[in-house]
Amino acid sequence: KAGVTQTPRYLIKTRGQQVTLSCSPISGHRSVSWYQQTPGQGLQFLFEYFSETQRNKGNFPGRFSGRQFSNSRSEMNVSTLELGDSALYLCASSLEGRGQQETQYFGPGTRLLVL
Amino acid sequence: DQQVKQNSPSLSVQEGRISILNCDYTNSMFDYFLWYKKYPAEGPTFLISISSIKDKNEDGRFTVFLNKSAKHLSLHIVPSQPGDSAVYFCAARINNNDMRFGAGTRLTVKP
């Protein structure tokens, strides 16, 4: 079974631009979560999607948004990029995400550099 | 708020010896704990987990211990191998909600 895939793997943008990152979960997984990893803040939860609905949200500004499609694939968008948005963005999937204890499986991440 | 803490940023052990990575948490509502291993430029890889109803879970060379009264968990790797060198994150969840991660501990296993 293929793992979580993320595209692109690397991205360079300039301040003020916007960016869209993509995540394909493990086949059969319906919950997709996004995390930001920076050296100073570690791994921080952005949001979770299940059945095309945002079910849970972390403490990030509205510039960070996402969506999920009917095939469970998810996209994350960051508008008006700032230098501090430079980070590794990780996507993780799990089967249902609720009702039973589940493990989330991570993709390789997208490394975003904002200049 | 740092609900999950890994107070040791780094750990160095000799090959063949035991590695013990520690993690403390503050929220007694956490009911599921996980350990992930991460190599540079890769996403975290799931290692082992434990439910709050247990105090030990073992998988090969990896054992996780949970002490709920102390709000402490630890990961034991025996015997340690050079390929175990990576950053280890502990994570905790409540009712399958978002995971809260510790800051990570960089383990170096010397040959």
Side-chain angles (χ1 to χ4, degrees):
Chain A
K1 191 183 268 192
V4 179
T5 58
Q6 291 185 247
T7 56
R9 292 293 312 275
Y10 303 94
L11 205 50
I12 300 176
K13 292 284 188 178
T14 56
R15 276 181 300 176
Q17 286 187 309
Q18 68 94 27
V19 67
T20 300
L21 313 180
S22 181
C23 170
S24 291
I26 291 171
S27 177
H29 284 194
R30 296 202 291 163
S31 170
V32 174
S33 297
W34 288 89
Y35 294 84
Q36 180 196 64
Q37 186 187 16
T38 58
Q41 299 293 324
L43 269 157
Q44 292 189 294
F45 172 74
L46 280 155
F47 29 65
E48 183 216 0
Y49 285 87
F50 179 81
S51 290
E52 304 177 63
T53 302
Q54 187 181 90
R55 193 162 65 173
N56 203 1
K57 189 176 189 303
N59 190 26
F60 276 80
R63 298 185 299 107
F64 292 82
S65 63
R67 59 177 174 166
Q68 187 180 34
F69 302 94
S70 58
N71 61 358
S72 294
R73 189 177 71 85
S74 177
E75 288 182 347
M76 189 192 101
N77 186 77
V78 187
S79 62
T80 320
L81 283 166
E82 301 177 358
L83 296 178
D85 297 333
S86 295
L88 179 67
Y89 290 89
L90 292 157
C91 163
S93 77
S94 61
L95 276 168
E96 295 279 339
R98 287 285 168 87
Q100 54 183 329
Q101 290 168 339
E102 291 182 351
T103 298
Q104 288 188 346
Y105 296 90
F106 283 85
T110 294
R111 172 77 60 188
L112 171 65
L113 177 62
V114 181
L115 302 175
Chain B
D1 62 343
Q2 279 287 336
Q3 296 190 42
V4 179
K5 298 179 184 179
Q6 292 175 260
N7 292 318
S8 298
S10 63
L11 174 68
S12 181
V13 300
Q14 208 66 36
E15 181 179 6
R17 307 295 285 265
I18 184 172
S19 295
I20 300 177
L21 297 109
N22 293 305
C23 180
D24 297 294
Y25 60 95
T26 57
N27 192 335
S28 58
M29 298 299 292
F30 286 134
D31 59 6
Y32 194 47
F33 303 88
L34 309 93
W35 283 94
Y36 286 86
K37 172 181 175 181
K38 188 177 184 303
Y39 293 114
E42 292 183 13
T45 302
F46 169 71
L47 267 178
I48 193 168
S49 62
I50 188 167
S51 166
S52 60
I53 63 172
K54 296 185 175 181
D55 54 18
K56 178 182 175 182
N57 188 25
E58 193 172 352
D59 184 2
R61 297 186 296 114
F62 302 92
T63 303
V64 56
F65 295 92
L66 175 62
N67 182 334
K68 280 184 294 185
S69 61
K71 295 192 182 68
H72 177 84
L73 69 157
S74 61
L75 174 68
H76 292 210
I77 306 174
V78 183
S80 301
Q81 299 173 353
D84 296 330
S85 297
V87 177
Y88 289 78
F89 291 95
C90 77
R93 304 181 83 174
I94 305 171
N95 289 333
N96 263 341
N97 278 319
D98 59 291
M99 283 197 291
R100 301 299 173 103
F101 283 86
T105 296
R106 181 176 300 280
L107 173 65
T108 303
V109 181
K110 298 179 179 178

